[in-house]
Amino acid sequence: MDRIAIRGGRPLHGEIPISGAKNACLALMPAALLSDEPLTLTNAPRLADIRTMRELLSSLGCEIAALQEGKVLAIGAADLASQRADYDIVRKMRASILVLGPLLARHGRAEVSLPGGCAIGARPVDLHLMALEKMGARLDLRDGYVHAEAPGGLTGAVVDFPLVSVGATENALMAATLAKGTTVLKNAAREPEIVDLADCLRAMGARIEGEGTSQITIEGVAALHGATHPVIADRIELGTYMLAPAIAGGEVELLGARRAQAGALWDRMEEAGLSLSETAGGIKVARPEGRVKPLHVITEPFPGFPTDLQAQLMALLTLADGESVLEERIFENRFMHAPELQRMGARIEVHGGVARIRGVPALKGAPVMATDLRASVSLVLAGLAAEGETVVGRIYHLDRGYERLEEKLSACGADIRRLRD
Ligand code: UD1
């Protein structure tokens, strides 16, 4: 299995282009199932997770053309051979569950394997199922699959989510576009990826209002048509690379990014003493001399601080001048990077969902192991600052979500390379 080796201690100077958003693209691709005309997505990121979604859609009978080296995906779902999403693909990626709503809405039936366990917590799909049941789907869970039927089609309904779920909001939103009548999603997720999905569905002829707020209203239509839609920039990739010069030192410009995309991270980084500015070409981040200030940060649904940047922020706070607190409120088991960072000399205590981080003046390189996507990139970031060599194992996690990571960082002067075993 490939590993990544980093020699730390080099400040970063240069520019990093930001790719299309993985999580937006993973919801946009199944939207193609809602129409018999093709959906073309531009600015798609080239990542393992996107390839997995392509594999899944192909297994259902979609015709997919990847143009411009995979940055443009044209997905046709005119003739589906199957409405069954097999365990072999679904187990690789939880976002596979997003085909359930569209298949059911357009074809009246679907069989989707339940996603298996996941390293960052139980992550059930009960809210996805609840929403579809409210819209009239008959669901049966057997043999590890959700067997769903709505022979006469789905019907508009009021769906009140007991907790905010990005994926359940996306599944319900897609299903509702073809349901008879009006659907109201209450306590809906407000993430930019939801707004992007609604924009795309509207371009396909859907009638949607309120995306970006906690109440989304959808008027069902009889059919959707084809469209071309650009995937938004990846705010998590952006945040990760904003934190890179904050940890390693130096000054980096994130090309094509705007302040709004940085969300809650911008203010927290300023609070830590980093220098951020919007430029004509993007966002510039610089670390002034000296150590960063400690922070107390709680992860929350958007517009709160994203759980997907918690591990990377922890890497920064290991070097802060004082004690920081990180409270993880979205996933119950998302501190697996903490023991790995400790191997590099970080001082972290975890009690339940709360991590206390006592900043140290320097980290030391060590062999470490990636446990999930964001955890693994936090170890890369820590390695950029650490003295000596850090070797990160199990980097297939990284390839799921970061396009050309070594290339982007080495262009800014990082000493980082992939070791192929
Ligand atoms: C999406 C993102 C992921 C991010 C997460 C939270 C994608 C492909 N993934 O994941 O990167 O970390 O949002 O911002 O977009 N829950 C339930 N029942 C459900 C669904 C969720 O209890 O049916 C719980 C989860 O266990 C979790 C919380 O709700 O504790 C939020 O999860 P959710 O927003 O659904 O995350 P995902 O859509 O899976």
Side-chain angles (χ1 to χ4, degrees):
M1 258 183 283
D2 289 2
R3 291 166 300 153
I4 278 187
I6 307 138
R7 286 216 153 263
R10 288 166 157 235
L12 304 177
H13 289 278
E15 296 172 343
I16 299 183
I18 301 305
S19 301
K22 170 180 84 77
N23 286 353
C25 199
L26 287 176
L28 292 164
M29 293 170 74
L33 295 168
L34 290 163
S35 172
D36 58 7
E37 293 178 13
L39 173 65
T40 301
L41 300 172
T42 60
N43 196 35
R46 288 158 293 178
L47 299 168
D49 272 8
I50 301 299
R51 284 192 291 278
T52 304
M53 184 58 87
R54 276 173 61 178
E55 201 189 324
L56 173 57
L57 294 177
S58 299
S59 78
L60 300 172
C62 290
E63 300 259 331
I64 305 177
L67 312 165
Q68 294 179 27
E69 295 168 347
K71 276 185 96 168
V72 175
L73 299 173
I75 309 170
D79 302 305
L80 287 196
S82 153
Q83 281 88 40
R84 181 180 164 95
D86 262 329
Y87 174 68
D88 274 350
I89 305 181
V90 175
R91 72 183 166 81
K92 289 193 207 161
M93 189 180 67
R94 196 186 139 73
S96 306
I97 192 77
L98 294 175
V99 301
L100 178 60
L103 281 177
L104 196 54
R106 179 151 153 248
H107 296 277
R109 62 181 294 270
E111 282 172 34
V112 178
S113 167
L114 289 164
C118 169
I120 58 172
R123 302 183 85 178
V125 292
D126 54 318
L127 301 176
H128 299 242
L129 305 185
M130 177 277 278
L132 296 171
E133 260 180 332
K134 280 258 153 81
M135 289 186 231
R138 285 202 309 267
L139 304 179
D140 186 14
L141 302 188
R142 70 190 133 80
D143 322 322
Y145 280 74
V146 186
H147 299 257
E149 274 186 6
L154 294 170
T155 316
V158 175
V159 179
D160 196 350
F161 291 107
L163 61 91
V164 178
S165 160
V166 176
T169 302
E170 290 166 342
N171 234 333
L173 173 60
M174 288 191 276
T177 60
L178 293 179
K180 285 186 209 81
T182 308
T183 298
V184 182
L185 306 180
K186 297 186 172 181
N187 200 24
R190 291 181 279 168
E191 269 67 3
E193 292 75 20
I194 305 280
V195 176
D196 197 34
L197 176 61
D199 281 341
C200 174
L201 293 169
R202 229 185 334 257
M204 295 170 75
R207 297 178 58 194
I208 302 167
E209 273 177 19
E211 75 277 8
T213 74
S214 53
Q215 182 160 318
I216 307 178
T217 306
I218 305 111
E219 280 306 327
V221 295
L224 296 184
H225 51 71
T228 296
H229 176 82
V231 179
I232 53 168
D234 196 316
R235 64 196 170 94
I236 305 302
E237 189 198 28
L238 169 64
T240 302
Y241 290 129
M242 286 171 68
L243 285 162
I247 294 171
E251 182 177 273
V252 170
E253 188 169 7
L254 295 316
L255 297 181
R258 303 316 297 157
R259 178 180 178 151
Q261 293 162 345
L265 178 66
W266 184 287
D267 290 346
R268 305 330 297 266
M269 284 181 67
E270 279 190 336
E271 200 184 319
L274 295 150
S275 152
L276 285 83
S277 57
E278 232 178 353
T279 60
I283 289 174
K284 208 171 249 184
V285 177
R287 195 185 73 193
E289 283 301 302
R291 293 169 68 183
V292 297
K293 298 192 195 97
L295 297 175
H296 185 156
V297 174
I298 301 171
T299 63
E300 286 166 313
F302 189 86
F305 191 90
T307 173
D308 284 352
L309 287 174
Q310 178 260 108
Q312 300 90 313
L313 183 67
M314 185 184 284
L316 173 70
L317 297 177
T318 60
L319 294 166
D321 190 11
E323 182 174 297
S324 298
V325 178
L326 282 180
E327 292 186 47
E328 175 55 59
R329 299 263 179 95
I330 307 291
F331 294 113
E332 71 268 30
N333 186 19
R334 207 178 195 180
F335 284 133
M336 280 156 327
H337 40 286
E340 299 299 312
L341 290 169
Q342 278 167 321
R343 292 170 52 75
M344 301 175 70
R347 293 169 70 192
I348 305 165
E349 270 176 42
V350 175
H351 292 290
V354 180
R356 287 183 189 281
I357 305 126
R358 273 179 292 157
V360 293
L363 296 174
K364 291 208 164 45
V368 287
M369 202 61 97
T371 47
D372 72 50
L373 168 56
R374 308 304 171 183
S376 41
V377 86
S378 80
L379 301 174
V380 171
L381 294 183
L384 294 173
E387 292 161 4
E389 189 174 63
T390 298
V391 178
V392 184
R394 292 206 192 130
I395 55 153
Y396 54 87
H397 291 293
L398 271 181
D399 295 329
R400 289 185 43 207
Y402 289 92
E403 182 179 309
R404 297 184 292 116
L405 173 104
E406 310 96 281
E407 217 179 288
K408 289 187 183 189
L409 287 172
S410 48
C412 294
D415 182 346
I416 176 168
R417 63 191 199 286
R418 186 175 287 245
L419 307 176
R420 296 191 189 275
D421 292 340

